[in-house]
Amino acid sequence: MNLKSLIDKKTQAAEYMVNEITYICKNLGKRDPGSEGEKKACEYMAKVLKEDCGCDRADVEAFEENPGSFYGWMLFTLTFALAAFVLLFFYPLASAILVVIGLALAILEFGLYKKTVDKLFPKKTGHNVTAIKKCTGETKRRIIFNGHPDAAWEWPVNYALGGVGFESHAIIGFAGAFYYLILAIIQMATNGFGGIAAGTTLFKWALGGLAFVPFLIGLYFMVNYKRVVDGANDNLSGCYMGIALLKALKDEGIEFENTELGVVLTGSEEAGLRGAKAWCEAHKGEFDDVPTFIFSYDTIHDPKYLLVNYRDLNGTVKADKDVSDLFYESAKEIGVNINKGMVPPMGGATDSAAFAQAGFRATGVTGLNHKLESYYHTRKDSYDNMSIEGLADCYAATVKALEKFDEGAKQ
């Protein structure tokens, strides 16, 4: 089906997104993972999907989570690292063990988003939305547009110093932990399991490790739980990419014969993809009846950085090549600036990673510089700092991808 009429109105669609996002930010409260604001935003967008977008169902679904764990592991890792510095002088084996345990927690919780220490943190209730618009005939394919409705706790260092300062702070802090580990190994290899003798070269090196202590202590304050950002770009922009498209289809009176449409909003992404993981568990096997593609959008802002992420979750998870290629080729076909890339190490993840890990065919689409800018996870991510052009370009590429996808459904 030719959807050029929708592409031609991409600016109007982007303006609709901004207006809706502004309303949510101003009226529905802060949307940290597992919060009442996250729930209200899900309920509001489900209502829009049902009443304004013509969805046959728009279900708000609850799930249990422990959102504090996603950054809470740092309390253990940092405390272990600081204790390891003291123990290095007396019990190098204990020092090494603490550093290894702390680094393992970092890799499991942040590197791989595993639920390692979740049970140690308070339980909350998060919310997802599953909305489906049926086709008029036999369903041969299904396409789902995904975004996450929650918003991040602020990163104060990124707000004050930008991405370079934020990442440098984290790298130096963790380099300190490795430094302690290396010294402990050297001590055990050369002098056994006893403490480091005063006055030796190794003793002086160990004292030199004091330089890392301020950075490690500073990492305790990497996240400010008292300030939740608006999350206009990250990630109401992703939520409204699918909503705006379904609304435009209804406004134009366009229905598909063989392609079913879906919008899935997965909460608590900022707590480690918890909503997407819960959604995959709750809907396991439900969408296996026909080929189903999932486009997961996250932080659609700068048109210079519109990107299809062929790898996700710190580069550890592979996205579906066909889904990724479809979006990339669709953007190119209509002259939208687009690049191929990945969510790099230390870059975190999009919900696409959770879908891919669960066996769904998915890709992540982002519109931000992966070298962090000052609006990322800060109060600058507000409704008055959005890009009409960035939203419009991504929307146009999405429409074209749907058009091409529907053509495949008729083959």
Side-chain angles (χ1 to χ4, degrees):
M1 181 179 295
N2 189 321
L3 299 179
K4 186 177 182 300
S5 61
L6 271 65
I7 295 174
D8 290 342
K9 296 179 180 178
K10 65 179 185 178
T11 300
Q12 292 95 312
E15 290 171 346
Y16 165 75
M17 292 185 222
V18 171
N19 289 336
E20 284 286 291
I21 290 167
T22 299
Y23 173 82
I24 291 175
C25 290
K26 284 185 173 182
N27 296 284
L28 300 185
K30 297 300 183 181
R31 307 186 317 281
D32 46 310
S35 67
E36 183 66 19
E38 180 191 69
K39 178 185 178 183
K40 287 181 179 179
C42 285
E43 291 172 341
Y44 175 80
M45 287 185 280
K47 184 173 182 288
V48 170
L49 284 160
K50 184 78 172 178
E51 297 180 358
D52 299 344
C53 302
C55 288
D56 298 282
R57 55 179 273 215
D59 306 324
V60 179
E61 305 161 348
F63 62 91
E64 292 186 348
E65 60 173 330
N66 310 82
S69 66
F70 186 62
Y71 294 111
W73 61 268
M74 294 179 63
L75 299 175
F76 300 100
T77 296
L78 295 173
T79 301
F80 290 168
L82 291 171
F85 170 75
V86 177
L87 290 171
L88 176 62
F89 292 92
F90 308 101
Y91 307 104
L93 178 59
S95 176
I97 290 172
L98 284 179
V99 172
V100 169
I101 293 173
L103 292 174
L105 285 177
I107 292 170
L108 290 169
E109 279 285 353
F110 182 75
L112 301 175
Y113 284 37
K114 298 292 186 181
K115 298 179 181 180
T116 309
V117 295
D118 285 42
K119 298 300 183 181
L120 301 177
F121 292 86
K123 184 183 294 185
K124 290 190 176 183
T125 301
H127 290 84
N128 295 329
V129 175
T130 302
I132 298 295
K133 181 175 175 57
K134 297 177 181 178
C135 49
T136 59
E138 177 189 359
T139 301
K140 295 182 179 180
R141 284 191 179 182
R142 179 183 299 109
I143 189 166
I144 293 174
F145 306 104
N146 165 255
H148 70 83
D150 60 304
W153 301 283
E154 185 167 65
W155 290 358
V157 177
N158 195 42
Y159 175 68
L161 302 178
V164 174
F166 176 85
E167 292 179 348
S168 297
H169 180 200
I171 290 171
I172 292 171
F174 280 92
F178 279 107
Y179 182 81
Y180 300 157
L181 178 60
I182 292 169
L183 291 186
I185 293 172
I186 292 174
Q187 171 64 10
M188 290 186 289
T190 58
N191 300 303
F193 296 102
I196 300 174
T200 63
T201 299
L202 198 61
F203 185 85
K204 295 176 181 177
W205 288 352
L207 287 179
L210 284 170
F212 292 107
V213 171
F215 293 94
L216 287 166
I217 293 175
L219 287 174
Y220 280 107
F221 307 99
M222 188 185 85
V223 180
N224 179 7
Y225 291 102
K226 294 181 179 181
R227 180 182 286 273
V228 181
V229 306
D230 279 352
N233 294 286
D234 183 15
N235 184 38
L236 289 178
S237 66
C239 294
Y240 267 89
M241 200 55 59
I243 294 173
L245 174 50
L246 264 66
K247 182 178 185 301
L249 289 169
K250 183 183 179 185
D251 290 346
E252 293 286 325
I254 298 173
E255 294 192 348
F256 293 92
E257 182 180 358
N258 303 117
T259 299
E260 185 172 274
L261 306 177
V263 172
V264 171
L265 310 178
T266 41
S268 299
E269 188 268 358
E270 302 294 359
L273 314 184
R274 296 309 190 238
K277 289 176 180 286
W279 187 89
C280 291
E281 292 176 7
H283 295 274
K284 184 177 181 180
E286 183 178 339
F287 299 109
D288 292 346
D289 54 336
V290 295
T292 299
F293 282 13
I294 300 178
F295 291 109
S296 186
Y297 302 90
D298 203 325
T299 317
I300 306 303
H301 181 71
D302 195 328
K304 297 194 302 295
Y305 295 111
L306 188 60
L307 187 74
V308 180
N309 294 276
Y310 281 71
R311 298 194 71 86
D312 212 312
L313 187 53
N314 297 303
T316 65
V317 174
K318 186 177 181 180
D320 186 280
K321 186 177 186 301
D322 291 339
V323 183
S324 303
D325 285 346
L326 175 60
F327 194 90
Y328 179 80
E329 292 165 4
S330 298
K332 284 290 187 182
E333 193 170 321
I334 59 173
V336 168
N337 176 69
I338 187 92
N339 288 292
K340 296 180 179 180
M342 62 182 281
V343 181
M346 291 189 67
T350 74
D351 281 325
S352 167
F355 297 129
Q357 288 176 320
F360 289 92
R361 303 186 67 182
T363 195
V365 178
T366 54
L368 78 163
N369 185 356
H370 281 314
K371 295 180 180 179
L372 301 184
E373 297 188 13
S374 62
Y375 73 87
Y376 185 73
H377 286 196
T378 75
R379 67 198 74 178
K380 295 179 182 179
D381 183 7
S382 58
Y383 56 84
D384 56 357
N385 182 26
M386 303 193 72
S387 169
I388 292 291
E389 182 183 357
L391 292 168
D393 281 356
C394 186
Y395 171 84
T398 299
V399 173
K400 190 63 180 180
L402 171 58
E403 180 184 288
K404 292 169 70 70
F405 185 81
D406 179 61
E407 290 171 358
K410 296 179 179 180
Q411 294 176 359

